[in-house]
Amino acid sequence: MKSALITGINGQDGSYLAELLLEKGYKVYGLMRRKSVVSYGNVEHIKDKINFIYADMTDVVSLINAMEISQADEVYNLAAQSFVATSWEQPLATAQIDALGVTNMLEAIRKVKPSAKFYQASTSEMFGLVQEVPQKETTPLYPRSPYGVAKLYGHWITKNYRESYGMFTCSGILFNHESERRGLEFVTRKITNAVAKIKLGIQDCLELGNMDAKRDWGHSQDYVRAMWLMLQQNKPDDYVVASNETHPVREFVQKAFKAAGIDVEFSGEGVNEIGKDRASGKVVVKVNPKFFRPAEVELLYGDPSKAEKVLGWRREISFDQLIERMVKNDLSLVEKQIKIQGL
């Protein structure tokens, strides 16, 4: 039986990865930070199948302890301060976790079990001010946020340990991947949750920032398979994982409302843009300048051909299916909320 250690196990990706590894017969260990109130997040439904270890990415001693306990054959580093907007408000904390935390984990592996295979969750945000379309493994990196910069350090230190110590370390440069388990602070879940509330009459309007920003969106359940495949190869390498499509935020919004049975028409542009329900004429979407980033990433569009060729990876959940699943799930959650609160 292989053993795997997952940092960030109670997040979106961590939960889908834990499910995948359990299905494959792994003994799964997950890192948890000690809090006054224990929360298992997205792994609540499988918590009895996971071996939890208290540790923190900023504390290398705790990570060494985690490696000694788990003796993991594979380590998946998914822990991060992963919200881009927060990285401007907490740039030092973001750097401690997303940059130096990677080094701490690599050092723990090197000292305890250097034969372990390591996966680092890199991000398309490293491309930032894109230098090439579509973006692939060889595209120059130009991050545009403290989050992107911290992740760039994590990406390069992973490569450095591979080349310096001969360790099996891989980075997955994952483009935007969402799901029903996405946190409410992320724009896709903010959209689908608001759409559900507007449909059910407990919210009037959705406010967003840059509607013209384009992203390459896939489903987390597909993308965690790519993580696992990277660590099953004979040689470590870095891979772009993407849908090979790009869509503006505006399109995501329109399709989310459509999935809920609301046809939205947009008028105006920039900060004056609004979206109206064609049937009622009611304004259901507004652009709010406070949601614009200090430095915007305008276009992300990934080329997954290397992952498809070498790993044999293919995404199975389409852009439209992703949105439909998220809206359906949020409609169900909001309906339950209404019943509980008697709204």
Side-chain angles (χ1 to χ4, degrees):
M1 179 186 290
K2 282 187 178 180
S3 63
L5 175 64
I6 304 173
T7 74
I9 195 168
N10 57 0
Q12 170 189 256
D13 292 0
S15 65
Y16 282 117
L17 179 61
E19 287 174 347
L20 176 69
L21 296 179
L22 287 169
E23 287 172 8
K24 293 184 178 297
Y26 280 69
K27 187 172 185 179
V28 176
Y29 293 85
L31 292 195
M32 286 187 69
R33 284 183 295 168
R34 191 175 291 279
K35 297 179 181 178
S36 56
V37 178
V38 177
S39 173
Y40 295 99
N42 287 309
V43 291
E44 176 71 34
H45 64 297
I46 52 172
K47 64 182 181 183
D48 294 335
K49 300 178 182 179
I50 297 168
N51 302 279
F52 293 99
I53 303 170
Y54 285 110
D56 193 292
M57 297 302 294
T58 63
D59 181 1
V60 69
V61 174
S62 70
L63 297 179
I64 290 172
N65 180 59
M67 281 301 299
E68 289 175 341
I69 292 171
S70 67
Q71 288 297 310
D73 300 297
E74 298 173 5
V75 178
Y76 295 87
N77 184 38
L78 310 184
Q81 189 302 99
S82 57
F83 190 42
V84 176
T86 299
S87 73
W88 274 287
E89 299 166 0
Q90 300 178 16
L92 297 182
T94 301
Q96 287 287 337
I97 299 166
D98 297 6
L100 297 182
V102 184
T103 312
N104 289 338
M105 191 72 250
L106 286 165
E107 274 295 289
I109 294 168
R110 189 173 73 88
K111 290 184 179 297
V112 178
K113 192 175 180 180
S115 63
K117 295 182 176 182
F118 176 77
Y119 170 83
Q120 165 61 14
S122 289
T123 170
S124 58
E125 287 286 333
M126 300 188 307
F127 292 116
L129 187 62
V130 298
Q131 306 295 297
E132 180 182 29
V133 179
Q135 293 91 55
K136 48 185 181 285
E137 292 80 4
T138 56
T139 300
L141 303 168
Y142 196 138
R144 298 268 281 172
S145 66
Y147 169 74
V149 172
K151 279 291 192 175
L152 183 59
Y153 176 98
H155 179 76
W156 279 106
I157 200 67
T158 298
K159 187 186 293 282
N160 186 261
Y161 269 62
R162 180 167 74 219
E163 296 176 352
S164 299
Y165 299 116
M167 292 169 63
F168 194 110
T169 64
C170 296
S171 284
I173 307 173
L174 271 57
F175 279 65
N176 294 70
H177 48 291
E178 318 298 324
S179 77
E180 304 88 316
R181 299 176 186 176
R182 199 45 142 163
L184 288 168
E185 69 273 21
F186 290 87
V187 68
T188 50
R189 186 73 195 291
K190 176 182 177 180
I191 292 167
T192 60
N193 181 256
V195 165
K197 288 181 175 179
I198 291 168
K199 173 69 175 180
L200 296 170
I202 62 170
Q203 183 170 323
D204 294 326
C205 187
L206 165 64
E207 293 189 354
L208 294 169
N210 184 5
M211 299 280 283
D212 293 317
K214 294 181 178 179
R215 294 293 183 269
D216 183 325
W217 277 298
H219 197 289
S220 173
Q221 202 165 17
D222 281 338
Y223 286 34
V224 299
R225 279 191 291 105
M227 299 176 188
W228 176 77
L229 285 168
M230 288 179 209
L231 299 196
Q232 310 317 306
Q233 305 307 304
N234 293 324
K235 294 181 180 179
D237 206 346
D238 305 325
Y239 299 87
V240 162
V241 180
S243 73
N244 200 32
E245 298 174 2
T246 189
H247 304 270
V249 174
R250 187 184 298 101
E251 182 183 355
F252 194 107
V253 173
Q254 285 178 308
K255 291 193 171 185
F257 273 103
K258 184 178 179 181
I262 301 172
D263 186 11
V264 175
E265 178 183 27
F266 286 95
S267 62
E269 58 183 21
V271 295
N272 298 313
E273 187 165 12
I274 61 171
K276 291 184 178 180
D277 177 355
R278 287 181 190 269
S280 66
K282 181 181 177 182
V283 174
V284 291
V285 185
K286 291 180 183 177
V287 169
N288 188 330
K290 79 176 185 179
F291 295 119
F292 279 73
R293 295 181 180 183
E296 185 58 78
V297 175
E298 297 289 349
L299 170 65
L300 292 175
Y301 176 21
D303 177 3
S305 56
K306 179 179 174 182
E308 291 175 348
K309 181 180 179 181
V310 178
L311 304 178
W313 176 82
R314 295 287 188 282
R315 73 161 181 158
E316 298 175 356
I317 302 169
S318 71
F319 177 63
D320 287 358
Q321 289 170 331
L322 163 70
I323 296 172
E324 289 167 4
R325 283 175 58 158
M326 291 181 69
V327 171
K328 182 180 179 181
N329 184 70
D330 274 324
L331 281 168
S332 177
L333 291 175
V334 174
E335 284 174 349
K336 290 177 182 177
Q337 177 187 342
I338 290 172
K339 289 179 181 178
I340 292 170
Q341 297 180 353
L343 298 176

